[in-house]
């Protein structure tokens, strides 16, 4: 591994510390190196706060070393004025010797402009270092901007004989280790979605309890508004979008959005894009999950299996025939990970 790759790897590690906290901004890490020594590092903590490069610059004790230093950044420095001034201009102003970029930013406000500002200032720029890893780090951000929809993760648990419940009643399938994993997943993603049936049967809160992090935005698909208003999904613990065909209104943390049943999935994607939702876990029941599967509308799937549990009768798990990407063992449960190819 080259030195450039080592430092970009460090940028990625730093960026990951803020997973789930930077929406709608991407995850970015930055490292400043002088004569082979790291003299500054930083990452973007959350939207509205300084970007990674600025945090890295601020952490440098001896600012006189900056003109002889290289700044590494996992994503192309921004070129637009948002809540903070453009990082590309700051890099130019301080006159770094060299800039090394992991991935270029496909977002239309940046897209090569940051790199150009720096190059035009006569600073050497190298880009595309560990590019795949840097794109993977921001798969949510890139999917959202390029496909105009959130990054979609399907998730369900099934018994050894392929059922999601016993006799159509809520049934615990996964163990406590897996439950912790699921709560961490919720903290890492932007939103979580369930359908009417799941909300009525399980009365889920869909919040993060057994892990550190922010509650995801809850999305309830409930066309006829059948889910009672005193159910947990309507509590004030998280922002909630209720997709329905009855009304359009906002009350405190609950926003009702009207969509017709016809052309539902494309309309839902357009709505979530407009609401700036970058990633979503589909935790719905069989019917909801199957719609996404049948339409090839997903990026990752996480299937929890408890092989020792036989339920014999109930809701059958979705029909899903894809090649497994990897398997992880959590005591007596297995988690299968899939990627849409």
């Amino acid at each position: 591994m080259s030195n450039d790759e080592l430092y970009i790897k460090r940028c990625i590690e730093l960026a990951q510390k803020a997973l789930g906290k930077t929406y709608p901004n991407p995850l970015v890490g930055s490292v400043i190196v002088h004569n082979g020594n790291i003299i500054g590092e930083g990452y973007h903590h959350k939207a509205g706060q300084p970007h990674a490069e600025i945090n890295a610059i601020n952490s440098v004790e001896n600012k006189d070393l900056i003109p002889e230093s290289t700044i590494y950044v996992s994503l192309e420095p921004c070129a637009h004025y948002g809540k903070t001034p453009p990082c590309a201009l700051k890099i130019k102003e301080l006159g770094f010797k060299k800039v090394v970029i992991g991935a270029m930013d496909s977002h239309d406000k940046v897209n090569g402009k940051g790199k150009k500002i720096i190059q035009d200032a006569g600073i050497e720029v190298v880009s595309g270092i560990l590019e795949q890893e840097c794109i993977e780090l921001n798969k949510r951000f890139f999917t959202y901007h390029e496909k105009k929809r959130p990054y979609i993760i399907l998730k369900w648990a099934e018994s050894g004989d392929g059922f999601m419940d016993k006799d159509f009643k809520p049934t615990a399938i996964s163990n406590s280790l897996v439950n912790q994993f699921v709560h961490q997943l919720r903290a890492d993603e932007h939103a979580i979605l369930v359908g009417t049936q799941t909300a009525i049967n399980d009365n889920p809160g869909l919040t993060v309890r057994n892990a550190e992090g922010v509650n995801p935005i809850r999305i309830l698909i409930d066309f006829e508004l059948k889910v009672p208003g005193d159910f947990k999904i309507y509590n004030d613990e998280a922002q909630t979008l209720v997709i329905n065909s009855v009304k359009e209104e906002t009350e405190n943390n609950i926003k009702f959005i009207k969509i017709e049943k016809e052309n539902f999935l494309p309309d839902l994607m357009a709505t979530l894009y407009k609401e700036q939702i970058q990633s979503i876990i589909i935790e719905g029941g069989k019917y909801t999950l199957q719609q996404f599967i049948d339409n090839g509308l997903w990026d990752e799937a996480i299937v929890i299996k408890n092989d020792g549990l036989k339920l014999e009768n109930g809701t059958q798990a979705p029909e899903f025939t894809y090649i497994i990407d990897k398997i992880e063992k959590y005591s007596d449960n297995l988690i299968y990970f899939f990627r849409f190819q």
Side-chain angles (χ1 to χ4, degrees), residues 215-264:
N215 285 332
I217 294 169
R218 300 179 290 205
I219 296 161
L220 170 63
I221 310 289
D222 187 11
F223 284 111
E224 321 296 330
L225 294 181
K226 288 180 181 165
V227 178
D230 59 358
F231 268 41
K232 285 184 201 163
I233 202 157
Y234 279 109
N235 67 23
D236 59 7
E237 287 180 23
Q239 197 188 331
T240 307
L241 306 179
V242 183
I243 309 293
N244 71 98
S245 51
V246 180
K247 64 179 180 178
E248 183 102 24
E249 65 182 46
T250 305
E251 306 163 7
N252 302 324
N253 62 318
I254 315 286
K255 185 173 185 179
F256 292 89
I257 300 173
K258 205 169 162 184
I259 290 184
E260 294 311 320
K261 273 188 177 168
E262 287 71 32
N263 203 32
F264 165 61

Side-chain angles (χ1 to χ4, degrees), residues 130-235:
L130 292 189
E131 189 175 27
Q132 275 323 107
E133 289 90 329
C134 291
I135 289 170
E136 172 68 21
L137 172 70
N138 278 308
K139 56 194 176 185
R140 303 159 185 85
F141 180 79
F142 286 125
T143 299
Y144 175 79
H145 288 291
E146 288 167 14
K147 297 190 175 173
K148 308 275 185 268
R149 65 160 174 82
Y151 188 85
I152 297 169
I153 300 171
L154 309 178
K155 185 207 136 276
W156 72 89
E158 59 177 78
S159 61
D161 52 356
F163 291 98
M164 297 170 82
D165 56 35
K166 181 157 181 70
D167 302 331
F168 307 97
K169 292 182 187 70
T171 310
I173 291 175
S174 48
N175 62 33
S176 57
L177 275 177
V178 169
N179 289 345
Q180 221 169 336
F181 163 84
V182 167
H183 281 258
Q184 192 55 56
L185 181 71
R186 286 179 184 176
D188 292 347
E189 303 309 329
H190 201 178
I192 182 166
L193 177 147
V194 294
T196 312
Q197 241 14 73
T198 302
I200 289 175
N201 293 350
D202 300 357
N203 188 11
L206 304 181
T207 50
V208 174
R209 294 183 298 281
N210 310 332
E212 283 294 304
V214 184
N215 285 332
I217 294 169
R218 300 179 290 205
I219 296 161
L220 170 63
I221 310 289
D222 187 11
F223 284 111
E224 321 296 330
L225 294 181
K226 288 180 181 165
V227 178
D230 59 358
F231 268 41
K232 285 184 201 163
I233 202 157
Y234 279 109
N235 67 23

